[in-house]
Amino acid sequence: MLTMKDVVREGDPVLRKIAEEVQLPASDEDRQTLQAMLDFVINSQDPELAEKFELRPGVGIAAPQIGISKRMFAVHVTDEQDQLYSLGIFNPKIVSHSVEETHLEGGEGCLSVDRDIPGNVPRYSRITVKGTTLEGEEVTLRLRGLVSIVFQHELDHLNGIMFYDRIEAFKDKLKKELPQ
Ligand code: UDB
Ligand code: ZN
């Protein structure tokens, strides 16, 4: 079982790498890893298990966050229409997106970041994602709202991008701190 001990934190170079495509059909090992990631997010939302194992209630986790630089992530999140998205996905790809942008009111956090970083994180309002599920099914998902934001946050992890890289005010601060 995965716990917070398995979650790598910012500063670990694996979070800044471009993750490798998963060879399909997925090996037993890759499927077991992705299933364990899905179990982790499900367990983390169970109040009793979360307390017992000191899990932060997570909505998604990407393989680089457990030190595995492969293109796969798991999500367990309910959308604004009460529809549950609980899946593991291999080689996800945004095939189209809206021009319109959105952001989570109150900003974003990350299981790999142990501090609060305020600011709006711009995201596409709507995305279409293609990938292969844990069950080996090729899927096309049309997403909006919170679920679409979670997918974009996890996809960013596969490309070495942290949520605060997208905060405008944070970029300006970093620039100022750089030596001239
Ligand atoms: C999370 N959870 O799991 F808007 F019902 C975060 C943590 C870091 C705070 C645990 C979260 O945002 N929950 C949430 C948000 C809502 C409504 C709701 C629950 N992640 C996952 C992560 O770090 N994956 O790499 C961070 C989220 C920030 C935006 C999307 C993912
Ligand atoms: Zn994250």
Side-chain angles (χ1 to χ4, degrees):
M1 182 188 145
L2 293 172
T3 68
M4 292 305 294
K5 280 199 195 75
D6 300 295
V7 177
V8 305
R9 307 304 157 93
E10 54 175 337
D12 191 312
V14 72
L15 292 174
R16 289 306 192 177
K17 280 195 196 160
I18 308 277
E20 301 266 349
E21 294 264 317
V22 177
Q23 291 285 101
L24 297 179
S27 65
D28 285 350
E29 193 189 352
D30 287 341
R31 281 194 293 114
Q32 277 165 23
T33 303
L34 188 53
Q35 182 65 57
M37 290 162 54
L38 181 56
D39 292 340
F40 170 85
V41 275
I42 295 172
N43 291 343
S44 77
Q45 291 183 36
D46 179 314
E48 275 170 30
L49 289 175
E51 194 188 311
K52 186 166 178 214
F53 297 104
E54 296 181 357
L55 308 174
R56 268 178 96 185
V59 288
I61 190 167
Q65 293 183 278
I66 55 164
I68 297 172
S69 194
K70 290 189 178 177
R71 306 189 75 81
M72 56 190 194
F73 65 73
V75 300
H76 186 76
V77 57
T78 303
D79 73 8
E80 292 80 353
Q81 279 74 46
D82 264 2
Q83 196 186 327
L84 174 67
Y85 286 77
S86 185
L87 71 148
I89 191 161
F90 295 109
N91 301 333
K93 198 173 177 256
I94 295 182
V95 292
S96 69
H97 62 79
S98 60
V99 173
E100 190 194 346
E101 294 189 332
T102 185
H103 57 264
L104 267 189
E105 231 28 85
E108 295 188 13
C110 181
L111 291 167
S112 296
V113 178
D114 292 323
R115 56 188 174 131
D116 277 324
I117 301 176
N120 291 337
V121 182
R123 301 292 188 187
Y124 302 125
S125 295
R126 297 171 297 280
I127 57 172
T128 302
V129 176
K130 282 192 180 177
T132 301
T133 64
L134 200 38
E135 292 75 28
E137 194 190 346
E138 281 179 44
V139 287
T140 303
L141 303 168
R142 287 174 187 85
L143 307 171
R144 48 178 295 150
L146 175 62
V147 178
S148 136
I149 291 173
V150 176
F151 269 70
Q152 290 172 71
H153 178 110
E154 304 313 337
L155 264 155
D156 269 354
H157 279 304
L158 307 184
N159 294 323
I161 298 167
M162 302 295 286
F163 72 93
Y164 47 77
D165 299 345
R166 298 192 181 277
I167 300 176
E168 216 48 58
F170 199 74
K171 281 191 215 165
D172 293 344
K173 184 173 173 289
L174 270 180
K175 233 182 270 168
K176 283 202 201 94
E177 281 167 6
L178 280 174
Q180 300 297 319

